[in-house]
Amino acid sequence: MEIVILDSAEEVGVLAARKIASVLKAATPGVLGVATGSSPLTIYAALATMRQRGEIDLSRTRAFALDEYVGIAESHPESYASVIRREVVEPLAMNPDLVRVPDGRAADIEAACRDYEEAIAAVGGVDIQLLGIGANGHIGFNEPTSSFASRTRIKTLAPRTRADNARFFDNADDVPTHCLTQGLGTILDARHLVLVAQGDSKAEAIRQSVEGPVSSMWPGSALQMHQNATVIIDEGAASRLELADYYRYTYANKPIWQRY
Ligand code: GLP
């Protein structure tokens, strides 16, 4: 696992965008795994700037979202279908026909989850999956004790996740109780993983995921099992890492040919 500690959320976004661009350039047009939440917003901003400068073209890139709420209409402004359209597809000029979000409205939820897995497999898998992390260590919506072998399925949101996401809704009770999420096994199948986190509120989740034991109690620790995982964080999120100085030293001495 590569751990990169930077000074600001903006720098985190710029570096993660450069990593995404380098992987997608090699895989053109590529398959991008997209994430919601506040954490990736600086990445999307950096990618939008790169697009305006003509440094990246995502118009033929396919995308798959990690997760979706169950129980709210697709047209709800906080459905992840709406969020991905507003924050990713439009600013990055992606083709909406090539972008999929799990169908949280499906009458047959299990069939919708199977379809999603098959759609990812049909395009040859995800080249690079972008991840944020919840304060309780969830990735996608894989809450603590999610199986490392799990595939796309319905999950019950943890009370803490519902409370954390209440800021996006008028009323805390409006936050759905259920979601569909790619499983940890689905996420681990992506060829590259990039996890970003900013701020002290993520420091414990980062410490447990990066330096703790591999445990379903901290789903982010699944990244320790992946061959190409990059964790890009700011000083706040890095504040509890025991080996922070080593990560800084490693990054400062990264061979030129390995940089992105
Ligand atoms: C959300 C999403 C995750 C996200 C996490 C952290 O509920 N389902 O994909 O990584 O929680 O969100 P934020 O980046 O807003 O802190």
Side-chain angles (χ1 to χ4, degrees), residues 93-252:
M94 298 183 79
N95 177 349
D97 295 339
L98 301 180
V99 179
R100 280 195 62 167
V101 178
D103 183 0
R105 277 78 44 192
D108 186 340
I109 286 286
E110 290 186 353
C113 293
R114 269 197 311 276
D115 281 357
Y116 203 66
E117 289 279 332
E118 284 168 12
I120 294 173
V123 299
V126 170
D127 289 302
I128 182 161
Q129 176 65 57
L130 187 49
L131 298 164
I133 189 164
N136 65 359
H138 73 242
I139 55 175
F141 267 138
N142 291 281
E143 299 285 23
T145 72
S146 288
S147 162
F148 281 35
S150 52
R151 312 301 306 188
T152 304
R153 68 213 184 289
I154 190 165
K155 287 289 286 180
T156 309
L157 295 175
R160 177 161 189 188
T161 303
R162 290 189 73 222
D164 286 349
N165 287 3
R167 68 190 192 278
F168 297 113
F169 292 82
D170 293 339
N171 189 314
D173 292 337
D174 294 345
V175 184
T177 52
H178 289 80
C179 63
L180 301 189
T181 182
Q182 287 188 30
L184 293 175
T186 319
I187 292 169
L188 288 173
D189 281 348
R191 284 181 277 280
H192 293 82
L193 302 179
V194 177
L195 186 147
V196 294
Q198 302 96 352
D200 298 355
S201 64
K202 302 294 173 70
E204 184 61 12
I206 289 297
R207 183 175 83 90
Q208 295 285 352
S209 298
V210 170
E211 296 180 337
V214 173
S215 164
S216 64
M217 281 297 282
W218 291 93
S221 68
L223 268 70
Q224 295 181 38
M225 314 275 288
H226 196 277
Q227 209 173 6
N228 291 303
T230 306
V231 174
I232 307 177
I233 52 181
D234 71 357
E235 294 286 350
S239 57
R240 291 194 194 167
L241 289 175
E242 195 179 323
L243 300 184
D245 286 343
Y246 170 65
Y247 309 137
R248 289 191 190 93
Y249 170 84
T250 306
Y251 187 63

